[in-house]
Amino acid sequence: MLYKLHRYLNYTICLLLLTALTARADSILSKNISVHVTEMRLGTVLKTIEQKGNFYFSYNSNIVKTDSLVTINADNWTIKEVLDHMLRYRFEYRESKNFIILRYAPLQLTIVTDKAATDGDNYNISGIVTDEQTGHSLPNASVYSHEQLQSVLTDKEGHFDISLHNEGQPITLTISREFYKDTTVTFLTDVNVRSTDTTLKKKRSLLGYILSDDYSGVENTSLGRLFLSTKQQVQAANLGGLIAQAPFQASAIPGVSTHGNFSGQVVNVVSLNAVGGYNAGVDGFEMGIIFNLDKGDVGAVQIAGIFNVVGGSVNGIQLGGMYNNVLGNVRGIQLALLHNSVKQNMNGLQLSALYNHTRGSVRGIQLGAIGNIAGKNSDALQLGGIGNIAQQKFGGLQVAGLFNYAKHLTGVQLALVNIADTSSGFSIGLLNIINSGYHKLAISTNETQNINLAFKNGNGKLYTIWQGGMRVDDNSKLYSFGLGFGREFGLGQHLAINTEIGSSYLYQGTWLKTNQLNKFNLDFTYKVSRKFSIFAGPSLNFLYSDQRTPVDGYAYARDLHYSFIRDNRNWSGWVGWSFGVNLF
């Protein structure tokens, strides 16, 4: 029996050694490269190493000073040796898929164990964590087992006490603290020939890392600070992007869950939260009666009675009773009663009873009862009850009850007031303001009125015309005011054709009657200079009037022109002309 056990142990050790050697051979950090640079920016050198090693770096750009200058002459060094030399042994490196994560950790910690003993089905370990250089105890260090998804924090004296399920196999503990290199210790438990708990087996998971510059985005939000305890925020700072995976978790409140204090480091397939939950992410379904807090990505369905806050991206459907806040991207549908917020890009549908705000680009539909904001270049449909804002280039359709704004418009705006800094699109409204667009003051005369003034604003493709005019003769006054639209077709440097359509009310001595003049102008324009041009051309006029008799002292428009519409009491029509100048 002892011989068989000894042979089994030998086979096991050989297998473990072979696995370790294979893992090392596949390690990015163990690859050999040659680098020869003198006084070169660190960021450029890191890019060069990425190309040579066929991988990518991930790091916090606020900590890794990419503008600093480095000098190195490395012939066939491992990537780890090159990084140690350039970064002066002040970082540790974590591999995840085809990435190397640079974690700032200039200090080293040690662990002194004072207890490691079996107690029935449990294995209890206690000890003290200290700074290796000073010997001072370290409070708020994370001590965890990623296999059993359990963790504790050291107290103010640096002491910890953790109880783990005894499976009769070695137990590995890792100690992490912000700015310290991770330390891992393995404990050999008593031999246990009983079959291991299948529930525990299901709970085990692979360890990985979130690839992000900021691993604590959720913890830094106002709702994260409100609903997460100090211990949970410390844990997040210590463990950073370290994540595990599990099929299920249930929680009452953050920290009171099936994963305990380790819940913020676990991505679950299903997450059910009585009041609220705190996870590394969800890859399936999550529901919280009040709220959900997730450090990383979420898919495919997330539902909360009040709010959802996600530090990564959302792929799927996110439903928040009041509020959704996503610090990454959204690809799918985001619904909230009050407000939806996306820090990066939105591709899909945002629907809110108040307003939606995407700080990145939008591809899809934003629908807000008050309005919508798109931060970067977007091709979207914005539907806002009051207004829409596009802070960069906008190539979609903005429809609002009051106003639209786009920094550079290449699409269409439809509202009472439309504003754009520059525009190559179309603005349709009562007032269209293009800051660097088409601005003209037209002074003209025509067959009906002696003098007319018109303010034209928009761009060459479509401009709005606010117009007014009067006819002043000894016994035939006539006044008009109205609105129109026009478009300019360039025929070269100095020539253009302007097509304009407008509608004006004619005042013929009484407000009690309807006198509506609809006019279509075809003007030929000669541009004398950038701010002065002359125009002239024919017009087609249609007058609707229910005023049957003239008023003393006022002109009666039906009698001024020969109408080509016969035998109609209300309508008359004639061909006219216009001549004038444009200023500005």
Side-chain angles (χ1 to χ4, degrees), residues 376-397:
K376 294 185 179 179
N377 297 349
S378 299
D379 289 299
L381 170 61
Q382 286 187 319
L383 299 173
I386 294 179
N388 298 300
I389 296 174
Q391 296 174 319
Q392 296 295 328
K393 181 180 177 180
F394 187 81
L397 172 63

Side-chain angles (χ1 to χ4, degrees), residues 56-121:
Y56 302 96
F57 285 111
S58 177
Y59 51 82
N60 188 328
S61 56
N62 293 324
I63 296 176
V64 178
K65 304 302 181 183
T66 55
D67 288 334
S68 61
L69 301 179
V70 297
T71 297
I72 184 171
N73 289 290
D75 283 313
N76 205 32
W77 289 13
T78 66
I79 291 176
K80 182 181 184 304
E81 290 172 336
V82 173
L83 292 174
D84 284 341
H85 179 85
M86 292 194 306
L87 302 176
R88 301 182 182 278
Y89 299 90
R90 299 176 68 83
F91 285 77
E92 70 173 4
Y93 322 115
R94 295 170 171 175
E95 294 190 32
S96 179
K97 298 180 181 178
N98 200 36
F99 286 83
I100 291 180
I101 304 169
L102 306 181
R103 176 177 177 265
Y104 184 62
L107 304 175
Q108 184 71 48
L109 55 78
T110 60
I111 176 175
V112 178
T113 306
D114 55 36
K115 177 183 177 183
T118 301
D119 182 11
D121 289 338

Side-chain angles (χ1 to χ4, degrees), residues 404-409 413 418-428 431-439 455-460 462-464:
N404 293 306
Y405 168 78
K407 184 177 181 66
H408 176 59
L409 179 68
Q413 292 177 318
N418 298 297
I419 304 170
D421 290 348
T422 61
S423 174
S424 58
F426 298 91
S427 297
I428 305 172
L431 181 60
N432 301 308
I433 302 173
I434 312 298
N435 293 333
S436 59
Y438 189 92
H439 306 280
F455 177 68
K456 305 176 183 181
N457 185 269
N459 62 24
L462 182 67
Y463 52 85
T464 304

Side-chain angles (χ1 to χ4, degrees), residues 461-524:
K461 288 185 176 181
L462 182 67
Y463 52 85
T464 304
I465 307 170
W466 289 89
Q467 57 194 11
M470 61 182 179
R471 178 187 180 94
V472 181
D473 289 338
D474 291 339
N475 297 310
S476 57
K477 298 188 294 292
L478 182 65
Y479 302 99
S480 69
F481 58 90
L483 175 69
F485 298 93
R487 176 165 183 170
E488 182 175 279
F489 298 89
L491 299 178
Q493 183 178 358
H494 294 287
L495 295 178
I497 294 177
N498 290 73
T499 56
E500 298 178 350
I501 186 171
S503 182
S504 299
Y505 181 82
L506 296 183
Y507 179 73
Q508 302 181 132
T510 178
W511 295 104
L512 301 178
K513 300 296 182 178
T514 300
N515 297 291
Q516 199 72 32
L517 176 61
N518 304 295
K519 180 185 286 284
F520 175 77
N521 282 16
L522 180 64
D523 293 328
F524 296 87

